[in-house]
Amino acid sequence: MATIRMKPVKTPDLFLECFCISPDVFAGKTPTEISRLEVREGKARNELGDFFDIAGSSGKTAEETDIFIDGDCSRVKYIGSKMTAGSVTVNGNADMYVGGWMKGGSIHVRGNVDSFCGLAMEGGEIQIDGNAQNYVGCAYRGDWRGMRGGTIRINGSAGNDIGTFMLGGTIIIEKDAFIHISTHAEGGTVVIKGDVQSRVGGQMVKGDIYVFGTIEHMLPGFKEIGTVDKNILGQSMKFRHFIGDLGERHPKKKGREIYGNLYLRAS
Amino acid sequence: MAELLIKNGFVVDPSQKMNGDVADIAIRDGTIVEKVGSDAKVIDAKGKVVMPGGVDIHAHVAGPKVNAGRLMRPEDKLFKSPNAQEHYRVEMGFSIPSTFKTGYDYARMGYAFVMEAAMPPLHSPHVHEEIHDTPIIDEAALPVFANNWFVMEYLKKEEIENTAAYVAWLLSATKGYGIKLVNPGGTAAWAWGLNCLSIDDPVPFYDITPAEIIAGLIKTNEYLGLPHSIHIHQNSLGVPGNYKVTLDSLKIAEGVKANNKFDREQVMHSTHIQFHSYGGDSWANFESKAKEVMDYVNTHRNITVDLGCVTLDETTTMTADGPFEHHLNSLNHLKWANTDVELETAAGVVPYVYDKDIKVCGIQWAIGLELGLYAKDPSRTFITTDHPNAGPFTRYPRVIKWLMSQKAREATLDSLKYCSKVIDATDLHGIDTERTLYEIAQMTRTGPAKALGLSHVYGGLGPGLDANVAVYDLDLNNMPTDPEEIEKAFSRALWFVKSGQVVVKDGEITHHGNKRTVWVHAKVRENHQVTRDIQDKFLKNYTLGIGNYPVWDHLAPNPYVIEVDGEA
């Protein structure tokens, strides 16, 4: 494994669009070549080297390439977007679209991330040590094809619109979430270990939601059908089992309708 | 005097029966002339194909439903919006491109004229603003008439003269080009949550049938002598087994002769015929009836059609056929927009993915091409994708490739998941016809220009015509064996001259062109009854005053008005 080390040396006035910070792009390039990659700040074209000191070496393929960014990336968007292998570590915060459209490999952000983390992700792993803003693992604006696979783990709390249009994969929020969980989902699993305020599973067709804490306001489209014992993330617990959203269409499998499942920890 | 000489190209111009003759095209002040002086700027087209600028008879490129599509589909722009080049505007979108991308992409393909295929009259100011915002290409728009209260009321009483007076008034008020019919009666029925799925289903409340509306508007069109014939999107679009309705509708034109001074021969243009050539009675036994439909079209010279080829892309459907869009939404469960346009029409918008892994999509793709290959008279069968309904217009080069190369068709057929089922349900696999460049020029240039009554402006390279000339990177003596090269050549013209101005060089835009909006002004005798009816409806039914209805001149600042004397 080879590592490219990047150190932020200049804070952009606006926000940097860095589609290039990905093992797939860096693989096979020297630090000098990498520093010449195009990044945009608004309509201005810049080079990556204008904002980062770049050292180390890259591997021949994405799989053999690690990227380590030592510093704050609060104004850097699209870190690790579309990556298929390798790893990216950010020793600080990151802005929007961390791991957007990601297909494989891993991303570790040791601080907080802004919105759209793991947007339309297809595979791989994202670990955020801090909090996430809104739209974790959701679909791109307007799109109906959300997260398909992989895992996103937020060690802190998250905002609204988590797993919108989710089709597969897993999102784990260790603390609280605000509103709109798995809206329009047709698959996938969202686990919220803290509390949620409201609008959980609106227009959900299929998929699973686990809430370990409380839901302040339940949606009227969910019906309680019983209590179940579930082992989730290595913990065995008793859950109240709801199905829904009853206002939405539901596909049939072997003559039985498939619903979205909402498991709320029984107190 | 701006002079231009396009030298030594293989000229393919069916309007002059030129099939690759090596010739020069001389241009002076935007018009094709016999010869130019020695100071003329020379474009060397040696070893390249030279064609008239393309004419698109049917595309949805401007207006409220196109904009609704843009608004509801931000994802259509994602990663498909190249950054602006110096001096040029940013281009956005794929199936519903921004106005700038629309103009640029048509120009890159060497197209000079595009017909916006369905203009809701009430929203015609918006249509014209968007047309004005689309650079380079000349455009016109067809207002929709077949679900209009005036038209249904007059035709129920068989008042052709009154219908004609109303049509003439509306064409002038909306700066429209001709008579468009969308799901005659069916869209009006949609206001009651109903539809007209055959031409004999009565329209609720109006007690008129689609057949009567179609026949009445054909009569009206020929009474006025408009440059274009009626332009019809038939009932029962996209429904398995609808080819019978299609044949029934086409038969309404039987025996009717064209009356006009524009060299037009047809009395009915049946659009996106692919969507109307379906057999079977469900999606399970869905099959092609392209042969049945095309056999009829082949033997009836007073009908023209365009294909509406499915291009197997993710696209956005949009039509004034409101009930159809509702039906489509119940099939794919994606986003749906629906609107009612007061006394006139309705519209719906739904995204759609023509997936290679879905049997029905593969069959639809095959039907479009079968129709193009079965056509005996390519000058009456035009290439379209009903942009963006069956695919974006930027896929015309791909459709041309499929029509010109059996190898390309077979390659796509092999890539379908249900290849053998598509082969069973269609004839495409057995058809070895390969369209020639001459036939392609008939299907994309000469033919549509003639059907629109515009052969005195577009679709040819004869002296006196508008100087719209495309040069493609194809050597007639040494045509590429790889069909991909055909698609590439038609996607990016080497040169495109629009109204005498070079607008494209090596596939890149070099100039914003001299755009014009074409419309028809039909003169009719003063008709007091119709004038009173119009004023009456604006007082009683419309939500706006009649003074605010017509399109202001400044919204269409580059007019090209075609005068029609409907009194004669």
Side-chain angles (χ1 to χ4, degrees):
Chain A
M1 296 295 273
T3 305
I4 288 283
R5 295 179 171 277
M6 300 170 64
K7 195 161 179 64
V9 290
K10 185 176 144 195
T11 309
D13 294 332
L14 302 171
F15 289 84
L16 269 194
E17 295 185 14
C18 294
F19 282 103
C20 61
I21 302 183
S22 147
D24 295 73
V25 181
F26 283 11
K29 291 193 174 72
T30 65
T32 320
E33 286 168 332
I34 291 169
S35 69
R36 292 204 183 116
L37 291 168
E38 188 187 283
V39 293
R40 282 188 168 241
E41 185 187 10
K43 67 174 185 177
R45 292 162 197 253
N46 299 291
E47 289 181 354
L48 193 59
D50 299 342
F51 297 91
F52 293 93
D53 267 345
I54 296 161
S57 61
S58 63
K60 272 193 188 135
T61 62
E63 215 170 355
E64 298 162 290
T65 303
D66 294 329
I67 302 174
F68 183 79
I69 310 178
D70 191 9
D72 181 63
C73 289
S74 298
R75 284 174 185 255
V76 181
K77 292 182 198 290
Y78 301 107
I79 292 173
S81 65
K82 295 187 180 176
M83 66 187 272
T84 61
S87 81
V88 180
T89 308
V90 181
N91 194 19
N93 302 330
D95 194 46
M96 294 183 183
Y97 299 101
V98 169
W101 306 279
M102 179 177 178
K103 290 192 168 73
S106 66
I107 297 178
H108 183 187
V109 178
R110 294 189 181 151
N112 302 324
V113 291
D114 208 298
S115 299
F116 303 110
C117 170
L119 178 86
M121 178 177 178
E122 291 180 31
E125 282 176 35
I126 299 178
Q127 160 89 36
I128 310 294
D129 289 352
N131 301 326
Q133 282 285 334
N134 310 320
Y135 301 103
V136 173
C138 78
Y140 183 74
R141 281 281 159 92
D143 211 324
W144 57 89
R145 291 154 293 200
M147 180 170 173
R148 286 167 197 270
T151 307
I152 305 174
R153 186 187 286 269
I154 313 283
N155 274 358
S157 60
N160 49 261
D161 295 271
I162 295 161
T164 305
F165 281 109
M166 196 171 181
L167 298 165
T170 309
I171 301 174
I172 303 152
I173 315 283
E174 294 285 339
K175 291 184 181 160
D176 302 340
F178 180 39
I179 53 169
H180 289 300
I181 315 298
S182 295
T183 310
H184 285 291
E186 290 207 48
T189 304
V190 177
V191 181
I192 297 179
K193 296 200 177 169
D195 303 335
V196 190
Q197 198 185 80
S198 63
R199 298 176 220 176
V200 180
Q203 292 193 274
M204 188 177 184
V205 177
K206 278 197 298 190
D208 299 321
I209 305 172
Y210 294 86
V211 179
F212 290 7
T214 58
I215 298 174
E216 199 177 324
H217 305 288
M218 268 306 270
L219 279 178
F222 278 78
K223 186 171 93 176
E224 187 165 2
I225 56 166
T227 316
V228 286
D229 287 312
K230 283 257 176 190
N231 186 314
I232 182 79
L233 304 172
Q235 287 177 268
S236 282
M237 278 179 260
K238 198 179 271 297
F239 289 97
R240 294 164 69 192
H241 184 191
F242 296 78
I243 56 166
D245 181 338
L246 301 178
E248 189 52 58
R249 80 193 151 82
H250 291 282
K252 274 190 178 165
K253 199 173 179 185
K254 292 178 184 165
R256 290 187 61 184
E257 280 190 317
I258 311 284
Y259 293 96
N261 298 304
L262 167 56
Y263 300 103
L264 180 62
R265 190 177 182 178
S267 50
Chain B
M1 295 244 281
E3 294 190 332
L4 198 60
L5 187 65
I6 300 168
K7 281 189 82 146
N8 293 327
F10 297 113
V11 177
V12 179
D13 176 14
S15 78
Q16 299 184 90
K17 306 265 182 305
M18 291 171 84
N19 187 5
D21 316 20
V22 175
D24 298 346
I25 305 294
I27 296 167
R28 182 185 303 127
D29 294 339
T31 308
I32 294 172
V33 291
E34 293 284 357
K35 58 169 67 159
V36 284
S38 53
D39 294 341
K41 187 190 163 198
V42 174
I43 290 176
D44 181 16
K46 190 161 189 274
K48 313 291 179 195
V49 164
V50 175
M51 280 194 191
V55 177
D56 190 349
I57 200 166
H58 187 106
H60 301 275
V61 285
K65 66 184 174 317
V66 182
N67 234 17
R70 292 186 186 116
L71 283 170
M72 72 192 259
R73 293 208 61 201
E75 75 278 12
D76 189 61
K77 296 184 179 73
L78 182 66
F79 305 131
K80 290 166 190 159
S81 304
N83 293 318
Q85 301 298 310
E86 211 176 343
H87 307 310
Y88 297 97
R89 302 291 291 260
V90 75
E91 300 175 55
M92 289 189 292
F94 173 68
S95 68
I96 21 172
S98 60
T99 52
F100 292 98
K101 191 166 199 286
T102 303
Y104 292 166
D105 277 347
Y106 267 115
R108 288 183 185 117
M109 303 192 310
Y111 269 68
F113 177 89
V114 179
M115 178 64 77
E116 159 54 45
M119 167 160 74
L122 183 67
H123 298 304
S124 51
H126 178 172
V127 176
H128 282 286
E129 283 188 295
E130 245 185 72
I131 284 178
H132 176 46
D133 215 32
T134 308
I136 304 175
I137 49 172
D138 290 350
E139 287 176 280
L142 296 170
V144 291
F145 282 100
N147 297 283
N148 181 301
W149 293 12
F150 293 91
V151 170
M152 288 188 292
E153 283 169 13
Y154 291 141
L155 288 181
K156 189 177 162 185
K157 293 178 273 179
E158 296 180 38
E159 295 171 355
I160 299 300
E161 210 179 316
N162 287 348
T163 316
Y166 174 73
V167 167
W169 175 80
L170 195 94
L171 288 181
S172 293
T174 63
K175 302 198 194 302
Y177 189 80
I179 300 177
K180 173 74 189 289
L181 293 77
V182 178
N183 189 3
T187 300
W190 179 232
W192 280 264
L194 304 169
N195 197 354
C196 296
L197 285 171
S198 86
I199 60 166
D200 299 316
D201 281 1
V203 186
F205 183 75
Y206 289 95
D207 202 24
I208 185 172
T209 64
E212 289 163 343
I213 298 173
I214 298 168
L217 283 173
I218 292 178
K219 279 185 200 152
T220 307
N221 198 88
E222 303 314 315
Y223 176 93
L224 285 168
L226 298 178
H228 190 29
S229 64
I230 67 154
H231 189 116
I232 181 171
H233 154 149
Q234 297 173 354
N235 300 78
S236 207
L237 175 142
V239 178
N242 65 4
Y243 80 104
K244 287 182 189 146
V245 180
T246 306
L247 292 175
D248 288 346
S249 317
L250 294 176
K251 279 176 191 155
I252 297 173
E254 252 169 44
V256 187
K257 281 209 170 60
N259 164 42
N260 66 98
K261 293 173 180 158
F262 300 92
D263 192 29
R264 159 175 65 86
E265 290 176 31
Q266 92 281 8
V267 297
M268 180 191 276
H269 176 76
S270 186
T271 192
H272 42 70
I273 195 84
Q274 176 272 130
F275 284 122
H276 305 274
S277 304
Y278 297 166
D281 51 26
S282 74
W283 297 116
N285 61 9
F286 181 66
E287 59 173 350
S288 168
K289 288 287 176 187
K291 185 150 193 353
E292 284 75 357
V293 171
M294 219 54 213
D295 279 350
Y296 184 86
V297 174
N298 282 337
T299 51
H300 293 78
R301 287 202 56 82
N302 65 349
I303 292 170
T304 57
V305 296
D306 68 76
L307 299 176
C309 283
V310 165
T311 61
L312 300 171
D313 286 294
E314 177 186 322
T315 190
T316 314
T317 67
M318 50 184 63
T319 164
D321 193 340
F324 170 73
E325 291 290 0
H326 177 252
H327 166 70
L328 194 64
N329 178 251
S330 65
L331 290 176
N332 76 359
H333 310 297
L334 300 184
K335 295 173 272 190
W336 173 48
N338 178 62
T339 188
D340 173 59
V341 186
E342 303 199 6
L343 291 68
E344 300 171 346
T345 179
V349 183
V350 172
Y352 200 80
V353 185
Y354 290 98
D355 193 335
K356 280 186 167 184
D357 295 346
I358 294 175
K359 184 190 82 170
V360 169
C361 297
I363 296 173
Q364 288 177 306
W365 165 79
I367 293 174
L369 299 178
E370 279 181 296
L371 289 158
L373 296 166
Y374 278 137
K376 287 223 171 76
D377 184 357
S379 66
R380 290 196 289 121
T381 309
F382 317 132
I383 292 175
T384 66
T385 58
D386 187 18
H387 166 82
N389 287 307
F393 69 83
T394 41
R395 293 295 192 222
Y396 290 174
R398 191 166 288 179
V399 175
I400 291 172
K401 171 186 79 178
W402 282 322
L403 291 174
M404 287 184 72
S405 162
Q406 191 186 14
K407 189 171 140 193
R409 294 196 293 270
E410 293 298 330
T412 306
L413 198 53
D414 281 341
S415 72
L416 301 176
K417 186 173 175 186
Y418 294 99
C419 172
S420 60
K421 285 189 174 167
V422 172
I423 290 172
D424 290 345
T426 68
D427 300 338
L428 189 69
H429 186 50
I431 304 177
D432 59 4
T433 310
E434 293 192 332
R435 290 296 180 192
T436 63
L437 279 177
Y438 188 83
E439 289 167 332
I440 294 296
Q442 286 178 304
M443 297 169 97
T444 55
R445 270 96 178 148
T446 327
K450 184 172 171 164
L452 289 167
L454 285 172
S455 54
H456 59 295
V457 190
Y458 303 101
L461 294 171
L465 267 70
D466 212 41
N468 304 312
V469 191
V471 181
Y472 295 112
D473 191 10
L474 288 169
D475 183 347
L476 209 65
N477 292 333
N478 189 17
M479 284 294 279
T481 46
D482 179 5
E484 300 309 317
E485 294 293 318
I486 296 174
E487 182 179 340
K488 212 171 115 192
F490 278 106
S491 300
R492 299 253 159 171
L494 280 183
W495 295 89
F496 181 49
V497 179
K498 164 71 185 40
S499 303
Q501 173 71 49
V502 175
V503 291
V504 171
K505 189 186 170 201
D506 294 330
E508 289 306 325
I509 304 295
T510 58
H511 191 273
H512 268 123
N514 309 305
K515 190 211 174 61
R516 290 178 303 191
T517 310
V518 185
W519 75 82
V520 168
H521 176 247
K523 213 165 83 185
V524 287
R525 268 185 223 101
E526 204 176 343
N527 186 321
H528 294 294
Q529 189 196 332
V530 172
T531 308
R532 199 202 59 212
D533 288 347
I534 292 170
Q535 284 168 347
D536 196 45
K537 282 237 180 355
F538 271 92
L539 284 172
K540 277 189 186 161
N541 303 104
Y542 271 104
T543 55
L544 79 174
I546 193 167
N548 293 326
Y549 188 77
V551 176
W552 293 313
D553 286 343
H554 75 261
L555 294 182
N558 308 302
Y560 185 96
V561 185
I562 293 175
E563 299 285 345
V564 178
D565 193 353
E567 289 178 17

